[in-house]
Amino acid sequence: MKKRNLVFLIAMSMLALTSCDKFSSDVTTTTMVVPEESIVEETTLKSEVETTKEKSEKENNNELSFMDWKGKREKSGKDILKNETGRRKNYYELNVDFDDKSSTLDIDQKLIYVNDSEDDLNEMYFNIIPNAYSKGYAYNKKDKSSSDSDKDMTCVQSIKIGDKDCKLTRVKGTVYSLTLPETLKSNDTLEILMDYKVTIPKLQNRFGYYNGEYNVGNFIISPAIYENGEWACNPYVEVGDAFYTEIADYKVKINAPEEFKVAATGTLENGTYYAKDVRDFAFFTSKKCEVMSDSYDDIDINVYYPKKYKVNAKEALKCAKKSFEIYNELYGGYPYDDFDITMTAQSQGVGGMEYPGLIMISISEDDLKFAKTDREYFNEQVHDVVCHEIAHQWFYGIVGDDEINEPWLDESYANFSEKLYNYKSGKKDYDMGNIIDAYMTLFKDVEPPKDKSEFMSNLYEFNKDKDLLYMAIYIKGGKFHYEMYKQLGEEEYLKCLKEYVKTFAFDEVTTEKFLNFWKDKGDFKKMFKEYLYGNEIVDAM
Ligand SMILES: [Zn+2]
């Protein structure tokens, strides 16, 4: 995510820091095992235990993927990043009925869940992010619900595992548990059928609608990540991008009224979206927008925009083409066939937001007025936000990270990518060092944290009273990578960075893995101690 108007944001942050609107919650700050006593409702499972897996599934058990689909760029042998992790991945099949009269989605979902851990599982945990917009959600600073209804935004109608009816039970915030009818053995798969209804709130945000434009992000009920013997159960929080998901395959059918245009993750073939090796699936829909298209190296790029923003949409399209040219070279080939940009007032709550194959960019009437006074500066702003969100296709999308507990890992690279984009696109008189120094003046009166660097903070800590420090993981994060770049020299640094992306592609990186990768590439000890203090490995260096 990127807040486009940084100065405005900093001013807002100052306000937030001095207000008494403090966030209070008992959210733990690391990956946690949810204690049993926090489960507030009893599940209603039948006691008989029956076999839950079908024979055909068992035959498929050793397949890496449940979706036999290839994109045109993969088929034609383009030089793209490939999933070589050897990890088996979850598979989603969704039928989504969108109704604009009631602003709802009716969803039939089949999830084939792979237990790729060494443990046998008796329960699972899921995230239902839309319920962060239900009335009185405890983890948001402001109540962002759209109605007075006490009903949750996501209402589950049925869940079936085999012929057993199951139930999701709220554990904490947007985290839900599900007791399995029988043990899911290590390396086994499980088919879970869900039927649920999602109400889209009236909000200008990445999940919400306004003036006939619908942003539909993070709407899918998806399993939490099980790693190191624990479920990563972290409720949604307002600041940043509180998401942590694994690579999966999606086959999605979106049924919208004919006059609605849809922009979505994945490739549309015969009315169905195929999205292979992605961390999430999101879409946008509106009946009032225009579409502008172009392509780069067989990547089909589309911008969706209301007519009045045509000039800006053109600029976004230009930037997208250039971004793919630069990043494909720097980080390795974009692995998908399609890329959509939405440029609407609907995204104002976020500035810019990244999803696999889809970014949502905010624009408003005020922006248009401003653009008239200084077109060149405004275009630079458009380029900065678009190239930032496109960089997230590699940093968050391809190289994943726990965006809740270690958000610096992707935001710092997205920020540094903006600098590389401007430099590599040959922007006149552009000096990365000078630009970074100029932004750093925003923090000149901010006392750095004592016990641990802001890079070591999670979103719950940032949400309490550290909005400005959250911005530091972007700006100072960009500076950190720039200093590593300067020390190694451009050629060597970029060679290593490309290797970094390839090493962690379609996997999840951690601060520990980051350190292990970079520590022997140069003499970075002093830099690590300056930027990443409070990390056990760094403190022991
Ligand atoms: Zn970002």
Side-chain angles (χ1 to χ4, degrees), residues 1-2 354 388-389 392 411 414 474:
M1 180 167 71
K2 180 181 167 80
E354 70 279 9
H388 175 105
E389 304 309 340
H392 274 303
E411 290 301 354
Y474 290 63

mmCIF file of all heavy atoms in Angstrom, residues 1-2 354 388-389 392 411 414 474, ligand 1:
data_model
loop_
_atom_site.group_PDB
_atom_site.id
_atom_site.type_symbol
_atom_site.label_atom_id
_atom_site.label_comp_id
_atom_site.label_asym_id
_atom_site.label_seq_id
_atom_site.Cartn_x
_atom_site.Cartn_y
_atom_site.Cartn_z
ATOM 1 N N MET A 1 0.847 -1.184 0.000
ATOM 2 C CA MET A 1 0.000 0.000 0.000
ATOM 3 C C MET A 1 0.882 1.234 0.000
ATOM 4 O O MET A 1 1.998 1.212 0.456
ATOM 5 C CB MET A 1 -0.877 -0.017 1.249
ATOM 6 C CG MET A 1 -1.801 1.176 1.332
ATOM 7 S SD MET A 1 -3.082 0.977 2.567
ATOM 8 C CE MET A 1 -2.161 1.106 4.065
ATOM 9 N N LYS A 2 0.372 2.296 -0.556
ATOM 10 C CA LYS A 2 1.124 3.549 -0.509
ATOM 11 C C LYS A 2 0.155 4.700 -0.313
ATOM 12 O O LYS A 2 -0.860 4.793 -0.967
ATOM 13 C CB LYS A 2 1.891 3.759 -1.808
ATOM 14 C CG LYS A 2 2.699 5.055 -1.838
ATOM 15 C CD LYS A 2 3.402 5.192 -3.179
ATOM 16 C CE LYS A 2 3.951 6.582 -3.378
ATOM 17 N NZ LYS A 2 5.207 6.831 -2.697
ATOM 18 N N GLU A 354 -2.173 -2.841 -3.484
ATOM 19 C CA GLU A 354 -1.718 -3.915 -4.355
ATOM 20 C C GLU A 354 -2.434 -5.227 -4.088
ATOM 21 O O GLU A 354 -2.658 -5.590 -2.937
ATOM 22 C CB GLU A 354 -0.206 -4.120 -4.176
ATOM 23 C CG GLU A 354 0.234 -4.727 -2.837
ATOM 24 C CD GLU A 354 0.317 -3.738 -1.681
ATOM 25 O OE1 GLU A 354 -0.132 -2.590 -1.843
ATOM 26 O OE2 GLU A 354 0.817 -4.123 -0.612
ATOM 27 N N HIS A 388 5.221 2.109 -7.385
ATOM 28 C CA HIS A 388 5.305 1.522 -6.039
ATOM 29 C C HIS A 388 4.418 0.273 -5.960
ATOM 30 O O HIS A 388 4.863 -0.800 -5.546
ATOM 31 C CB HIS A 388 4.864 2.558 -4.992
ATOM 32 C CG HIS A 388 4.792 2.028 -3.588
ATOM 33 N ND1 HIS A 388 5.742 2.318 -2.633
ATOM 34 C CD2 HIS A 388 3.892 1.220 -2.972
ATOM 35 C CE1 HIS A 388 5.431 1.712 -1.502
ATOM 36 N NE2 HIS A 388 4.298 1.037 -1.676
ATOM 37 N N GLU A 389 3.166 0.422 -6.396
ATOM 38 C CA GLU A 389 2.230 -0.712 -6.300
ATOM 39 C C GLU A 389 2.652 -1.854 -7.228
ATOM 40 O O GLU A 389 2.475 -3.021 -6.897
ATOM 41 C CB GLU A 389 0.792 -0.273 -6.621
ATOM 42 C CG GLU A 389 0.234 0.867 -5.764
ATOM 43 C CD GLU A 389 0.365 0.662 -4.270
ATOM 44 O OE1 GLU A 389 0.544 -0.483 -3.824
ATOM 45 O OE2 GLU A 389 0.315 1.662 -3.529
ATOM 46 N N HIS A 392 5.195 -4.053 -5.756
ATOM 47 C CA HIS A 392 4.636 -5.029 -4.806
ATOM 48 C C HIS A 392 4.300 -6.365 -5.483
ATOM 49 O O HIS A 392 4.120 -7.370 -4.801
ATOM 50 C CB HIS A 392 3.367 -4.479 -4.152
ATOM 51 C CG HIS A 392 3.620 -3.629 -2.944
ATOM 52 N ND1 HIS A 392 4.324 -4.079 -1.847
ATOM 53 C CD2 HIS A 392 3.240 -2.350 -2.650
ATOM 54 C CE1 HIS A 392 4.363 -3.111 -0.929
ATOM 55 N NE2 HIS A 392 3.723 -2.054 -1.395
ATOM 56 N N GLU A 411 7.411 -3.292 2.215
ATOM 57 C CA GLU A 411 7.252 -1.845 1.985
ATOM 58 C C GLU A 411 8.591 -1.156 1.708
ATOM 59 O O GLU A 411 8.671 -0.222 0.916
ATOM 60 C CB GLU A 411 6.536 -1.177 3.162
ATOM 61 C CG GLU A 411 5.057 -1.545 3.297
ATOM 62 C CD GLU A 411 4.203 -1.208 2.072
ATOM 63 O OE1 GLU A 411 4.694 -0.577 1.118
ATOM 64 O OE2 GLU A 411 3.027 -1.608 2.066
ATOM 65 N N ALA A 414 9.401 -1.852 -1.870
ATOM 66 C CA ALA A 414 8.507 -1.128 -2.785
ATOM 67 C C ALA A 414 8.940 0.333 -2.852
ATOM 68 O O ALA A 414 8.941 0.952 -3.921
ATOM 69 C CB ALA A 414 7.057 -1.251 -2.326
ATOM 70 N N TYR A 474 8.804 2.686 5.322
ATOM 71 C CA TYR A 474 8.856 2.965 3.880
ATOM 72 C C TYR A 474 10.121 3.781 3.565
ATOM 73 O O TYR A 474 10.986 3.344 2.813
ATOM 74 C CB TYR A 474 7.656 3.809 3.431
ATOM 75 C CG TYR A 474 6.299 3.139 3.425
ATOM 76 C CD1 TYR A 474 5.716 2.668 4.593
ATOM 77 C CD2 TYR A 474 5.582 3.026 2.238
ATOM 78 C CE1 TYR A 474 4.455 2.097 4.575
ATOM 79 C CE2 TYR A 474 4.316 2.453 2.217
ATOM 80 C CZ TYR A 474 3.762 1.994 3.387
ATOM 81 O OH TYR A 474 2.521 1.430 3.363
HETATM 82 ZN ZN ZN B 1 3.310 -0.303 -0.373
#
